[in-house]
Each structure stands twice: as C-alpha cells, then as structure tokens.
Amino acid sequence: MATFLYRLGRLAFRRRRIVVMLWVAVLAAIGIGAMSAPGTSSGALSVPGTQSQRAIDLLRKEFPQASADGATARVVFEAPSGQTLTSAANKAEVESLVAQLEKSPQVSGVSDPFASGLVSRSGTIAYAQVSYKVAQSDISGAAHTVQTEVVAQGEKAGLKVSLGGNAVKDKAASKAAELIGVGVAAIVLVITFGSLIAAGLPLLTAILGVAAAILSVTLATHFFDLASSATTLALMLGLAVAIDYALFIVSRYRNEIRDGHEPEEACGRALGTAGSAVVFAGLTVIVALSGLSVIGIGMLTAMGLASAFAVAVAVVIALTLLPALLGFAGTRIMQGRLLTRRMKALERGEGESMGVRWARFVTRNPVKVLAVSVAGLALLAIPTMSLKMALNDDSGKPPGTTQRIAYDTLSEGFGPGFNGPLTVVVDARDSDSPKAAAQDAYTMLGKLDDVAAVRPPSFNQAGDVALLGAVPKSAPTSEATKDLVDEIRDHGATLHQDTGADLMVTGLTAVNIDVSTKLSDALIPYLAIVVGLALILLLLVFRSIVIPLKAALGFLLSVVSTLGVLVAVFQWGWLKGLFGVDQTGPIVSLLPIVLIGVVFGLAMDYEVFLVSRMREEYVHGAEPTQAVVEGFRHSGRVVTAAAVIMVSVFSGFLLDSEMLIKSIGLGLAAAVFIDAFVVRMTIVPALMALLGHRSWTLPKWLDRILPNVDVEGEKLRHALEAEQTVSAPEPVLAGVAAGVHAGSDGRSAPHAFSDLHASGVTDAPAPAPQTPGKARRLSRFKQRLARGGDATVPADTTESEAPVRRKLLKNPMRRR
C-alpha cells in the first residue's frame, strides 16, 4: 500500500492541474444533480419484525382509508383568556378551520373536535387530528402551506393555534455550528503550523470534501428516503475527519521538506507513510459506521451509510486533491511567518515540546498516572448505570416552537398521554366470534389503571379485524407508558387463548418503544462486534497482542465514560443550563449505538497515528520508553491539534435546537476529549512504559500467519534506501574532478555529486555552480551525511537511474 500511495502522491503532485480540474468537474456534476433532488426527510421509523410494524402492515391492508403509515398532525386550539371554545363565535371559527384542513392536499381525514369529544372539560382547549395519505417525507409544500394559513387565520380571529405531530415541518437548522467549528479549526491549524498556507490546505480540502459528500447524499434522495439527521451526522463527521486527515499528511510533508527532499519526493513520502495511516484509520471509521446497518432500523442505516460515505470522500480527497494542492504550494508551505519565539526554537531543535515533556512525566510515573486516570474515568462512568433510553418526540422540541407549544397545551388540557395515543388492533380472522373478541379487548383496556380513555372498536369491511384506540395517562416517553404497552401485550396472550384473536399495539408511541427496545438489545452485541473488529485490525497493524487489548479496553473506557457524561447532563440535569438543555429526560435511543460506531473509528485514528510512530522508533532500535517519548515528539503536537479540532467541531453542534443533534454533539465532543487526552495520550503511554518490550511481542507462529499491511511504510523505506544504494556515486580518485569526466569512449559521462576530497589534496576543482535553493538543499544533505544520518540522494541524479527507481517501486522487496 505504501508504495502505491508513494507513486499516487508523486503523480498527483506532477499532474496537479488535471487533478484539480477533475475534482471541479465532479463537484459541478454532483451539484447539478442535487439541485433537482427532493432532499432529506425528517426520518420516519420503520422496524421490520416488531409487533408495531406487523400491525401497521395489517392496517394498511384492511383499513386503507386509515393511512396507518401516513403522517399525522394535531392542530391545537386554545380560546382567548376568559373565553371558551364552545361559545358561538369561537366554535364557528374552529369549524371553519377544520373545514379548511379537510380540503388540504393529501389529507385522508380530519376529526372534528366537537363531534369527536376532543374538547377539554374546561372548554378552553380542543384539538383536531389530521391524517395524511402519504408518509412524512412525502408531505407536499401545498399541504404545509395550508397548515401555516390555518394558524395565521386562527390567530387573526383571536385563537391560539399550534401544530404538533410528524407532519409538521421543522424550521431550517442553523449553520452556526459548522461556522464555529471551521473557525476554531482555522485558529488551531495556524497555531500548529505557523503558516497560513499550511493551515489553509486542510480547511480547503475539508470544505470541498464535505461539499462533495453532502451534495452526493442529497443526490441520493432521488432514490432513497434519507432522514435529515443522516445529513447532519455526515456533515459533522466529514468535516472533522477531513481536517484531521489533511493535517497529518501536511505535517508529514513539511517534515520531509525539512529533511532535504524535493517537494515532489516529499509529497510521495508523506502519502506513503501518513497516507497509509489515513487509509487504515478511514477504513476503521467506515466499517464501524456501515455496521450500523445490521441493526435493521432504516433511519440508523441511513445515518451510518451517509456518514461512512462522507468519511470515504475525506480519505479520497486527502489522497488525491491534497497532493495536487501541495504541488501548487511547493516549498512556500514552509514559510512560517506566524511562528512564536518558542516555536522557532523548536524548529531549530532547541528545547523540548510540551508533548515530549508530558511523555517523559508519564513514563517516569506510570503507576500513579495510570491509577489517577482510570479512577477518574470510573467516576465519570458511574451515571451510566442509570441509563434510560427513549426516542425523542415533540416534548424535546425547543421552547417556543409550534410543536412544543402544541405538546404543552395538550398536556395542560387533556393530560400528557394525549400526545401519544395507542392504536390497538384485534386480528380476529382466526376467531369464531370476531365481535366478541373485539369487545373483550375493549373491556380489558378500560380496566387498566394507566388508560385515560378508550375508543370503541371499528371493523373492516369483512368484519374480522377491529381497530381500537387507547390514551395513556402518562407521557409518551415515560416508563409508565412503556409498562402500559407491555401490559396490553401481555393481556393479548390471554385474549388469544380465550378467543383465538391476536391483539397488537401500534401507533407512533408503540413504534418508538419498539425501536428503543431493539436498540437496547442490540447495544451489547454491536459493542462486542466493534471491539472484536478493533482487536483484529490493530493486531494486523502493530503485530502485537498487548496493544490491541490495551486499545480495546481504552475504547470501552471512553464509551462508558461518555455515556456517563450524557446521563449526568441530559437525564440528571447536571450543568444543563451550561449546555442549553431546557428539559431532562431519557437519552435518545439512537445515540449510544451511533456513539459506539463513531468513537470506535476516532479512537482507532488516534491509536494508529500515535502508536505507529512509536512502533517505527522501536523497530529502528529505540528502547520502549524512549520509543514512547519519540512518538510524542513527532506525533504528539499533531494529534493534539487534531483532537482539539474535532472537539471544537462537535461542540459547535451544541448550539443546535434539536435535542438529538445537541446530544450527539456533546457525546462526540466528550468522547474525543476523553479518548484522545486521557486514554491515548495518558493511559496508553503509562501502560507501554510499564510493559516495556512485552508491548511489542507477537508469537512467531502468529507472525507467520498474519499479512503485513505496512501502515508505517516500512517496505517503502527499504525500497528507497535500496534505490539510494544503487544510485550512489562511484568513488572519485584524488585529483580527479568531481564534475564531468571522460568515458572510455571519449565522450563525457554524467557527473556524480561528491563532497569527498582526498586527504591533503586541495586542487580539486569546485563543483558546478548551483542555484541558491538547490545549494541549500545540498548543504543540508552534506550535513546529514556528515552526521551519519539517513541521507537522501539529491534530486539531480542521472536520468539513467530512473528505470532502477521504477523497478524498485514496482517491487520494493526485490533487493531484500
């Protein structure tokens, strides 16, 4: 892989204009296609195999007029202060608005509040239930316009009108989160590199990558129904990882330039080393996110695949467009006009960076550091034991929105259960007396303690399937409502024994409960799959038993600690004002699963980028503790910058009004902070210092079986060293010029660079004049050669050596 990426980096560097034009053409094509796309939906849930979904499928067949899977809206009316809705004027106005709703496009039916008894006892609050023929994602703009007109006309008449339900369109999300994330990333990059050019390249490639990914996801809505949360997560992750991947490659490119390599060669080497790590890190994120599709929930599948695609685009951009842009930047990327005095001293090799000092502190006190870190994470994880999960509803909408006002008004007038009515289906096709079975179900529902109201059964045309309604006394997301659904289903078993009829509970509340249950059941198996994947991948990369185990345990610590933070803030209400949480409640069911997939990928990113450099130093002969310190010397600053950027990008989504997005932003920000700074940069070096050489051991039989993925570019390094050996100049005799000499055929042979002079000989002619830039590069080469370092042959080698280079790069193991 490293050799392929080396050639790809050099090719993109040389053909930079073609590469940039191709990317511009791709973006233009995707943008044109996305312009006519229907766009994302708000994400209707479908859970095949659950009781609620089976009931929906039956209702769709037996009660097509009910539009069981269609969108619904609740139009809530509230009388002016001191008046009632039953007064002649107010009643006439409400009936007029209901009639207007009945004429709305795509509406299958509207319940009249006065005819259906949907007026509160005080007479001040009433609501109309609006059912649509189409799903939530297919509600037309004309239907939304009628909703808006009804609200405006009702308020003009003095009524307070609010809308709830999944058929109501949400307000457009603010872009402040993305802007804040990009702004903080720009500041961090400038501080890290001290150069506007070096800081601008990761930002530019990240913006282009995110644009390509989001436009592609929008284009995909021509063929798939994708939830808006899928686009948000793809944007969030794509922006973060794209900046990080470009950051690592640009940092390695600058290091190669400092080592005296020509820009094209430096680009190839940067892609062959850091690019290999980027590919592996990206693959781990892609696999973890794609794995969300195995859970079987459409909304979760869309979120996982859209985010995985955004990460894949970030990897491709980093491997193709970024080298092309480096070709335009050249050596100007080294101009550090914004460097502080300390940064300039570090550039000259004077003093030690904070990362090196931290690594020395950790490796000198591994037991104390390890104990404090693990104890701190254990304390953070304690709230996880109180984790409760549920899907969000209108109660989680921001205060002041029409959905939240409708929810609160209904709760005030009728009780919180009216926001989540249950639909009960009695399938009596195998019963001897369908009407008796339905009546038994109706009687049973009326006797339950937590049922506020029951709607009598209505039958299909064949008279063998009955539809009933039950309104809970408790809120839709409460444990009491969940217990009520379980109780009704338990009574269904008794009903089947007595009458032969099947009883099923569905409706939005029941669907949400089934989804939450399915996600809870999938949490542990998915976690086991992800941890197992981590063990296998890291075993391949680091060829060690201890490091994969350590990384997997660290990942588990990060996950449970992050869940503890979420429970403390969103469920217990600690610091809720600081994070803009206006109402506590269960954690959104989707969040833990999404968190596991994303944190796994990001944790493996930092593990690869940090530990791979430690392994590189260890393989080259450094002692275990020294290898840890050297790994921090070369990668600590970049990993820190990457983590700060990710935390900033994710934290920006705390400004979003949606509770789901807010919780995802806090969860990912906390996870990255904990995993990067506590686990990877504290616990990992402490453990490696304690274990010493045992950290890098691998049984010989396993070493022979495992393929060598060469993430560190070891084969590439050997190939380039072998190339240097082949292209090294022949010794020059004393007194013979180091320039052009005559060949045996009387013609001039190509000159070979030599900085060697025989002892006592002073009349050797000087080398040919060099350009200032090349002279500086050759001077650095001479200095490194004199120090015995890993010198690199200057770029002015003979053309006859090009075939040798091509052969070596095609088969880097030829000389081994």
Side-chain angles (χ1 to χ4, degrees):
M1 179 193 294
T3 305
F4 167 76
L5 292 177
Y6 171 84
R7 294 200 299 266
L8 177 63
R10 297 194 60 158
L11 177 64
F13 190 99
R14 287 196 305 271
R15 309 296 185 191
R16 47 189 174 271
R17 290 179 176 82
I18 296 177
V19 172
V20 170
M21 286 190 293
L22 286 175
W23 269 109
V24 170
V26 168
L27 280 171
I30 298 174
I32 293 172
M35 289 175 63
S36 59
T40 56
S41 70
S42 53
L45 286 173
S46 174
V47 194
T50 60
Q51 186 186 106
S52 55
Q53 189 63 45
R54 292 198 304 271
I56 289 174
D57 295 338
L58 178 62
L59 289 176
R60 188 185 298 117
K61 177 182 178 182
E62 302 294 336
F63 290 87
Q65 71 280 6
S67 301
D69 56 348
T72 60
R74 288 182 299 276
V75 183
V76 182
F77 307 97
E78 186 175 4
S81 178
Q83 300 182 27
T84 63
L85 293 175
T86 55
S87 65
N90 289 335
K91 183 177 180 181
E93 182 63 31
V94 170
E95 290 176 340
S96 172
L97 295 176
V98 169
Q100 187 173 346
L101 287 169
E102 290 175 342
K103 298 176 182 178
S104 173
Q106 302 175 317
V107 167
S108 62
V110 180
S111 59
D112 187 302
F114 303 102
S116 304
L118 302 179
V119 181
S120 65
R121 292 181 180 179
S122 63
T124 58
I125 298 173
Y127 74 95
Q129 186 80 10
V130 184
S131 300
Y132 289 85
K133 301 175 183 177
V134 296
Q136 167 183 3
S137 57
D138 297 324
I139 298 292
S140 65
H144 287 305
T145 301
V146 172
Q147 294 175 1
T148 305
E149 291 174 351
V150 166
V151 172
Q153 291 180 19
E155 291 181 346
K156 187 177 180 180
L159 302 177
K160 296 179 182 178
V161 183
S162 54
L163 304 173
N166 60 358
V168 182
K169 187 176 182 180
D170 290 323
K171 289 184 178 180
S174 171
K175 301 301 180 184
E178 294 90 325
L179 296 177
I180 291 175
V182 172
V184 174
I187 295 172
V188 173
L189 289 170
V190 170
I191 294 174
T192 302
F193 291 126
S195 166
L196 291 177
I197 296 178
L201 287 181
L203 285 176
L204 177 60
T205 55
I207 292 172
L208 292 176
V210 167
I214 298 303
L215 288 175
S216 298
V217 171
T218 304
L219 180 62
T221 59
H222 275 297
F223 316 100
F224 308 102
D225 178 21
L226 299 178
S228 56
S229 54
T231 304
T232 304
L233 185 61
L235 173 62
M236 190 187 301
L237 275 180
L239 185 63
V241 300
I243 294 175
D244 277 8
Y245 294 162
L247 169 63
F248 285 109
I249 293 176
V250 170
S251 177
R252 193 61 181 250
Y253 173 76
R254 283 163 57 92
N255 288 340
E256 297 295 339
I257 291 288
R258 288 192 194 98
D259 288 343
H261 299 299
E262 292 287 339
E264 183 179 328
E265 177 71 12
C267 184
R269 287 175 178 252
L271 235 66
T273 51
S276 298
V278 164
V279 170
F280 174 81
L283 283 176
T284 60
V285 184
I286 291 169
V287 170
L289 291 172
S290 301
L292 294 173
S293 59
V294 304
I295 297 174
I297 297 177
M299 179 181 177
L300 200 58
T301 299
M303 291 175 69
L305 293 180
S307 302
F309 180 76
V311 174
V313 171
V315 172
V316 175
I317 287 269
L319 299 180
T320 55
L321 181 60
L322 180 59
L325 296 178
L326 289 175
F328 288 106
T331 56
R332 288 177 296 173
I333 202 172
M334 303 300 295
Q335 296 174 359
R337 298 179 181 177
L338 303 176
L339 292 174
T340 63
R341 182 178 302 177
R342 175 172 176 76
M343 293 172 66
K344 291 178 181 178
L346 291 175
E347 293 279 348
R348 297 192 300 267
E350 301 172 3
E352 291 182 340
S353 65
M354 185 178 297
V356 172
R357 295 201 302 272
W358 173 251
R360 293 192 189 280
F361 170 77
V362 172
T363 53
R364 282 197 302 264
N365 307 278
V367 177
K368 295 178 181 178
V369 169
L370 188 62
V372 172
S373 301
V374 173
L377 293 183
L379 287 174
L380 283 178
I382 289 176
T384 306
M385 294 185 290
S386 302
L387 176 66
K388 295 179 181 179
M389 295 190 294
L391 285 180
N392 55 331
D393 57 9
D394 285 351
S395 64
K397 297 293 183 182
T401 60
T402 186
Q403 295 98 322
R404 180 65 176 274
I405 294 173
Y407 184 95
D408 293 340
T409 305
L410 271 183
S411 297
E412 177 188 348
F414 300 91
F418 276 76
N419 285 289
L422 302 176
T423 300
V424 180
V425 180
V426 178
D427 182 5
R429 289 176 294 181
D430 296 330
S431 174
D432 295 334
S433 178
K435 292 188 182 297
Q439 185 61 39
D440 288 348
Y442 177 74
T443 304
M444 178 268 297
L445 290 173
K447 293 180 179 180
L448 297 179
D449 293 335
D450 197 38
V451 172
V454 182
R455 188 178 71 238
S458 57
F459 288 88
N460 64 339
Q461 187 173 2
D464 52 7
V465 177
L467 180 63
L468 300 89
V471 177
K473 293 179 181 178
S474 49
T477 58
S478 67
E479 282 294 315
T481 300
K482 182 179 182 301
D483 293 339
L484 174 62
V485 171
D486 293 337
E487 186 178 2
I488 295 174
R489 287 171 174 172
D490 290 340
H491 282 290
T494 304
L495 182 70
H496 180 75
Q497 291 177 356
D498 295 341
T499 65
D502 292 324
L503 183 146
M504 295 177 285
V505 184
T506 187
L508 184 59
T509 300
V511 169
N512 288 349
I513 291 172
D514 286 345
V515 170
S516 298
T517 302
K518 188 166 186 175
L519 288 171
S520 299
D521 295 341
L523 189 62
I524 300 300
Y526 181 69
L527 186 61
I529 292 172
V530 167
V531 171
L533 178 64
L535 292 173
I536 295 172
L537 292 175
L538 293 178
L539 184 65
L540 290 173
V541 173
F542 297 116
R543 310 188 74 78
S544 164
I545 297 293
V546 173
I547 288 180
L549 290 173
K550 167 185 59 63
L553 291 175
F555 161 67
L556 290 175
L557 275 175
S558 300
V559 168
V560 295
S561 301
T562 303
L563 289 176
V565 171
L566 290 173
V567 170
V569 174
F570 288 94
Q571 194 171 307
W572 291 0
W574 292 5
L575 301 177
K576 66 176 184 179
L578 177 63
F579 297 108
V581 179
D582 63 280
Q583 182 175 333
T584 59
I587 302 300
V588 179
S589 303
L590 297 173
L591 183 55
I593 289 282
V594 172
L595 192 67
I596 289 172
V598 174
V599 172
F600 166 73
L602 300 182
M604 296 307 104
D605 279 4
Y606 298 125
E607 185 77 12
V608 170
F609 289 130
L610 192 59
V611 180
S612 62
R613 196 59 190 253
M614 297 178 189
R615 182 176 186 270
E616 186 177 337
E617 298 295 331
Y618 179 79
V619 169
H620 291 168
E623 289 297 315
T625 300
Q626 185 60 29
V628 171
V629 175
E630 290 301 315
F632 271 80
R633 185 188 306 278
H634 294 290
S635 301
R637 183 181 182 86
V638 179
V639 170
T640 300
V644 171
I645 289 171
M646 278 205 174
V647 170
S648 303
V649 170
F650 294 147
S651 297
F653 286 87
L654 284 169
L655 300 176
D656 197 287
S657 58
E658 285 291 333
M659 197 59 62
L660 173 62
I661 303 304
K662 189 187 292 287
S663 59
I664 289 177
L666 177 61
L668 293 181
V672 170
F673 182 87
I674 291 170
D675 193 84
F677 296 112
V678 181
V679 175
R680 306 302 157 189
M681 302 187 75
T682 304
I683 294 178
V684 166
L687 277 174
M688 296 182 72
L690 284 173
L691 297 173
H693 292 282
R694 288 171 292 181
S695 298
W696 306 103
T697 56
L698 183 69
K700 292 183 179 179
W701 64 269
L702 188 57
D703 186 47
R704 290 192 297 268
I705 295 175
L706 293 178
N708 190 353
V709 295
D710 190 29
V711 172
E712 298 91 353
E714 193 70 13
K715 292 180 181 179
L716 174 63
R717 187 178 66 84
H718 286 301
L720 295 176
E721 287 177 352
E723 176 196 348
Q724 294 169 15
T725 303
V726 171
S727 59
E730 296 181 359
V732 181
L733 298 177
V736 179
V740 177
H741 61 86
S744 58
D745 58 356
R747 292 179 295 179
S748 61
H751 76 277
F753 170 76
S754 175
D755 191 47
L756 305 177
H757 294 272
S759 177
V761 178
T762 59
D763 57 349
Q770 304 285 348
T771 62
K774 183 175 287 187
R776 285 194 297 270
R777 288 191 290 271
L778 296 183
S779 175
R780 287 194 294 267
F781 169 76
K782 296 175 188 178
Q783 294 170 7
R784 296 176 63 228
L785 185 63
R787 292 195 303 266
D790 182 17
T792 304
V793 178
D796 54 338
T797 53
T798 64
E799 293 182 3
S800 62
E801 293 163 2
V804 177
R805 169 177 292 183
R806 285 194 294 270
K807 291 178 181 178
L808 283 168
L809 292 180
K810 288 180 180 178
N811 187 2
M813 301 301 293
R814 178 175 295 182
R815 297 196 165 272
R816 300 185 66 183

